[in-house]
Amino acid sequence: MRHAEQVTFGGGGLDRRADLRSDAAALDALAASETARHLPLWRGKPLMQGEEEAPVLAPQPAGAEVLAHSALRVFLGEAPDGTAWFARDISGWEPNEILEAPDSFLDRSEQIYPGLEGARFVELRATMARITPLDAEIAATARAITGWHGTHGFCAKCGAASEVACGGWERRCPSCGAHHFPRTDPVVIMLITHGNSVLMGRSPGWPEGMYSLLAGFMEPGETIEAAVRREVAEEAGVRVGPVHYLSSQPWPFPASLMIGCHGEALGTEITLDRNELEDACWVSREDMLETFAGRNPAMKPARRGAIAQFLLANWLADTLD
């Protein structure tokens, strides 16, 4: 697709400056500079400020009180204006208020750090469609990399505690010398069409009326095209012929790369795998237009910011090329 990188979390213009990651002294100097921007994250939530309809990231200067809780600093790179960005994980900080258990699908609670008036920690999925492309890329990168560190503190080879290295983009084991790098899990998400209709499905436990495109993790030794055909056949029993790549989206929940494809179905009969899907159906272009307009009582519009919505919108607009 000619405008593939317009998808949320893509094409923000962050220069990751991998050439600086191994220079600890240079990174320390950058982090201490007056222009450095340190983005605090609390249990995966970036600090944000501004109006609800147009929030922006709320980076803090070096030496800010909130950064005293940081157990991890990751160099994210440089913005187009040359400013250096760092992710700072303050998940060890405990808010004063007692939080209710977040919704299993979307945590809508917000946390406020004392003294940071107007700023709050917000679940990225709740704001991803309303922030700028650069803020979205920075926040997604910060969430994914800090999340990786949170679950990979020990060497997978010998079990010893590992150490942060290379500006936060590597962990090294002092015991056996193994090197560990951030993981990204490839996921295929498929716009499967047959004539004028698109295949939609819903997983068990999703909010009422929520449907999306079918998706699934790729397996070792598998091509993208084969993964598309396998996942659709396994989940919905639909055979798929030609498959074409469309666009991709980093999805930091926690660390996926969504690979958007268009597949042409060879038939319309559906046989559900009830362990994977609660329902699946073919939706005509006309009915999907009604759904996007909010006039379909049986189906909610696809979630803004997700690649499923991006692909469906381009299918409706005939701009998949």
Side-chain angles (χ1 to χ4, degrees), residues 58-83:
Q60 301 298 300
E65 179 184 329
V66 65
L67 302 182
H69 299 277
S70 174
L72 173 69
R73 186 189 78 190
V74 178
F75 175 56
L76 302 177
E78 292 181 354
D81 64 2
T83 54

Side-chain angles (χ1 to χ4, degrees), residues 17 26 77 81 90 95 107 112 114 124 139 166 178-179 182 193 195 208 213 218 221 279-282 286 297 300 311:
R17 290 303 305 273
D81 64 2
I90 67 159
D107 179 4
I112 299 175
L124 184 56
C166 217
H179 295 242
T193 60
E208 184 178 355
L213 301 178
M218 292 184 62
D279 186 31
C281 58
W282 291 98
E286 293 75 18
K300 293 180 179 180
L311 296 179

Side-chain angles (χ1 to χ4, degrees), residues 88-243:
R88 303 295 294 268
D89 188 359
I90 67 159
S91 296
W93 167 66
E94 292 291 345
N96 291 329
E97 73 272 23
I98 299 175
L99 303 177
E100 297 180 0
D103 182 276
S104 60
F105 190 77
L106 178 63
D107 179 4
R108 298 187 182 278
S109 66
E110 298 181 355
Q111 290 70 44
I112 299 175
Y113 187 85
L116 295 182
E117 296 184 7
R120 69 274 188 201
F121 291 99
V122 183
E123 167 58 46
L124 184 56
R125 272 178 290 200
T127 61
M128 62 185 182
R130 302 194 301 274
I131 58 180
T132 67
L134 177 60
D135 275 8
E137 184 177 1
I138 290 171
T141 303
R143 191 189 195 285
I145 190 65
T146 56
W148 174 73
H149 281 287
T151 57
H152 289 74
F154 295 88
C155 177
K157 186 175 181 181
C158 74
S162 58
E163 299 173 345
V164 179
C166 217
W169 290 91
E170 184 180 339
R171 296 191 73 94
R172 295 175 184 168
C173 178
S175 179
C176 71
H179 295 242
H180 304 282
F181 301 93
R183 62 177 294 168
T184 297
D185 302 318
V187 177
V188 286
I189 181 164
M190 297 76 73
L191 181 82
I192 303 300
T193 60
H194 189 276
N196 195 46
S197 297
V198 63
L199 181 63
M200 303 290 288
R202 58 175 280 113
S203 295
W206 277 8
E208 184 178 355
M210 179 179 177
Y211 282 75
S212 186
L213 301 178
L214 273 59
F217 288 97
M218 292 184 62
E219 296 183 348
E222 190 172 44
T223 65
I224 293 172
E225 295 83 358
V228 167
R229 297 186 182 101
R230 174 183 55 78
E231 284 290 339
V232 177
E234 288 177 354
E235 295 185 0
V238 174
R239 293 179 59 235
V240 175
V243 173

